[in-house]
Amino acid sequence: MKFQTRSIRQGVERLMTRIGVDGLFREFGDDLPLRSELFSVDQLERHAESLAEWHQIDQRRGPDRLLARLAENEQVLLDAYKVVTEAVEHNRRISPASEWLLDNFHLIEEQIRTARLHLPKQYSRGLPRLLNGPSAGYPRVYDLALELISHVDGRVDAESLRSFVGAYQKTEYLKLGELWAIPIMMRQALIENLRRVAARIAKATLNRSQAGQWADQFIECAEQTPNKLILAVADMARPDPVLSSDFVAEMARRLRGQSPALTVPLAWIEQRLGDHGQTIEQMVQSEGQQQAVDQVSISNSIGSLRELEAIDWRKFVEALSIVEQTLLGDPAGVYGGMDFGTRDDYRHVIEKTARRTTMTEHAVARQAVQLARQNPVNPASDERPAHVGYFLVDQGLP
């Protein structure tokens, strides 16, 4: 029997080849979606505190690896989209997660373009990189995004993100550049998660398509030449196929309740599974569970990408910045009443000063406040030295 699914097989074979040689997957442990034990808010905060204690910063400058990763993620997502699209065009059944991928792919493409726009070349080289753990070599703040996503199954909102970052800073302060990088890193990590789910979707689509091909052949054989059905089953068995849950579930769905002759391929599958202590029913149940969790992961990740657009990142950064909280102690009481642009200019001076010295950003901000306190406000004299700005953008800077 001639099948019309060659393009599906070729597309997924390209995808599988890419996954197989992708060393970055191995650096994160495997190609599984970012899905760990689900944490409550309190558990997330405790986890953030433990991460702050565990993280070690690499003082050496390293290559920017995020742009290359984004490009690979985009290609895998595009390949997976094509695989699922072609399956639909050939009237093959797809999973609910696959439908989410199809319905929201325009949003995913838009988010990838936004990520590339906000992630210029060498951007991440200016951020503290990790020395230890599976994300070694990547920015610390990117690992925070990965960790948060994995413990909320992709469902991130402003409050959970704020409490997670705030808890981390109880032990270790993030730099201003890291706080401003959070929306970029969250988008990058969510795209990473979508890539991993999409890769699983594509592999499952291939397995179901292959099962559908064999089912078509068995049904046709049972109707026209039932005496040759055993030979058709032998053809399937000869290459020793991997009996994945999606393959088995699709085969069972297609053949059960049909001609009695079709119990022959199902019996062979049952026997093969039995050699490994499994049954068709267990595989069908496993497939249903896998489809459910993949649907939750992809829907949560897409929802979180939308949530990122609604967050006021200026307020977010200022609320979490230790530099901002320190400068609000301006003895003259002027800093807090300034507009955002002026306050941001002050913070940029602190960043530049910290980079040129061995001091932290927090230490620079604290020093500016301490110097201003040494010059109490006196209406009869120059009041400028009582304001932190005198030491950041005026004559007191030296």
Side-chain angles (χ1 to χ4, degrees):
M1 180 179 180
K2 184 177 179 181
F3 302 113
Q4 304 298 320
T5 53
R6 181 180 178 185
S7 57
I8 297 177
R9 291 199 303 274
Q10 291 175 336
V12 181
E13 284 168 2
R14 289 195 303 271
L15 176 65
M16 293 292 289
T17 299
R18 183 173 295 108
I19 292 171
V21 299
D22 187 0
L24 286 176
F25 264 142
R26 291 189 291 276
E27 290 186 16
F28 285 115
D30 50 40
D31 62 346
L32 295 176
L34 301 172
R35 188 184 299 136
S36 300
E37 179 184 356
L38 292 180
F39 283 170
S40 65
V41 174
D42 289 342
Q43 289 174 314
L44 280 174
E45 291 180 353
R46 288 196 296 271
H47 183 55
E49 292 175 26
S50 67
L51 284 173
E53 295 175 354
W54 180 71
H55 277 165
Q56 298 176 27
I57 300 301
D58 191 345
Q59 301 301 330
R60 302 165 299 176
R61 292 179 68 86
D64 186 332
R65 305 167 72 183
L66 288 177
L67 268 177
R69 185 62 175 174
L70 180 62
E72 291 187 20
N73 287 347
E74 180 180 26
Q75 189 59 57
V76 170
L77 282 160
L78 182 60
D79 281 351
Y81 174 77
K82 290 178 179 177
V83 165
V84 175
T85 299
E86 289 174 355
V88 171
E89 291 174 351
H90 288 87
N91 297 316
R92 295 297 184 192
R93 192 173 69 94
I94 63 172
S95 66
S98 301
E99 294 175 1
W100 269 88
L101 180 66
L102 293 181
D103 293 343
N104 294 277
F105 197 72
H106 65 287
L107 170 67
I108 296 173
E109 288 183 306
E110 180 183 327
Q111 291 295 323
I112 291 173
R113 287 194 295 269
T114 301
R116 185 174 289 110
L117 177 66
H118 292 166
L119 193 66
K121 191 175 182 180
Q122 306 305 324
Y123 171 82
S124 68
R125 293 190 66 188
L127 301 173
R129 298 182 307 119
L130 286 182
L131 183 64
N132 60 332
S135 296
Y138 285 87
R140 166 174 61 178
V141 69
Y142 180 58
D143 188 64
L144 285 180
L146 294 174
E147 286 288 336
L148 176 59
I149 289 170
S150 69
H151 288 289
V152 295
D153 200 5
R155 188 56 180 157
V156 179
D157 55 36
E159 190 56 40
S160 63
L161 181 57
R162 187 179 295 109
S163 64
F164 189 71
V165 175
Y168 187 93
Q169 292 198 116
K170 290 179 182 177
T171 303
E172 191 71 30
Y173 294 134
L174 296 176
K175 292 185 176 183
L176 280 164
E178 290 181 286
L179 290 174
W180 283 114
I182 285 176
I184 301 172
M185 298 300 157
M186 288 300 304
R187 180 175 285 106
Q188 180 92 0
L190 287 166
I191 292 170
E192 170 74 29
N193 196 36
L194 286 170
R195 170 234 177 101
R196 297 179 178 211
V197 177
R200 291 164 64 90
I201 288 172
K203 288 185 283 186
T205 300
L206 169 65
N207 291 332
R208 279 192 293 270
S209 294
Q210 290 175 332
Q213 293 170 27
W214 284 112
D216 287 343
Q217 184 170 353
F218 295 152
I219 291 171
E220 181 177 311
C221 188
E223 292 174 351
Q224 299 179 7
T225 55
N227 59 319
K228 294 183 179 180
L229 185 57
I230 190 66
L231 297 177
V233 174
D235 288 340
M236 180 181 70
R238 189 171 297 110
D240 195 25
V242 176
L243 297 182
S244 63
S245 60
D246 18 61
F247 181 95
V248 173
E250 181 66 12
M251 189 70 78
R253 186 186 73 85
R254 291 291 309 279
L255 299 185
R256 281 178 170 171
Q258 303 283 342
S259 166
L262 294 175
T263 58
V264 174
L266 290 176
W268 178 84
I269 291 174
E270 192 75 66
Q271 181 179 353
R272 275 287 308 278
L273 292 175
D275 294 340
H276 302 281
Q278 298 172 316
T279 67
I280 289 179
E281 291 305 324
Q282 289 173 337
M283 299 295 273
V284 170
Q285 183 178 10
S286 174
E287 166 64 3
Q289 293 171 345
Q290 188 61 60
Q291 286 194 22
V293 296
D294 283 348
Q295 181 182 5
V296 170
S297 289
I298 195 169
S299 62
N300 281 352
S301 294
I302 289 170
S304 295
L305 285 171
R306 290 194 173 100
E307 180 72 19
L308 293 181
E309 302 295 332
I311 296 176
D312 186 333
W313 293 107
R314 290 184 174 187
K315 291 182 179 179
F316 179 91
V317 170
E318 289 195 328
L320 289 169
S321 169
I322 184 61
V323 169
E324 176 70 10
Q325 305 313 311
T326 302
L327 292 180
L328 286 173
D330 175 23
V334 174
Y335 178 82
M338 292 177 163
D339 59 41
F340 175 85
T342 305
R343 294 197 306 274
D344 204 38
D345 287 341
Y346 282 23
R347 293 190 293 262
H348 281 311
V349 172
I350 288 174
E351 284 185 285
K352 293 177 182 177
T353 304
R355 283 198 296 267
R356 291 198 301 263
T357 69
T358 59
M359 300 174 70
T360 65
E361 293 174 352
H362 180 214
V364 174
R366 189 172 60 235
Q367 183 71 6
V369 173
Q370 289 173 351
L371 288 169
R373 284 175 179 167
Q374 295 172 10
N375 298 275
V377 177
N378 184 355
S381 62
D382 187 357
E383 299 181 5
R384 291 180 299 167
H387 169 46
V388 293
Y390 180 79
F391 299 96
L392 295 176
V393 297
D394 205 340
Q395 296 178 22
L397 179 58

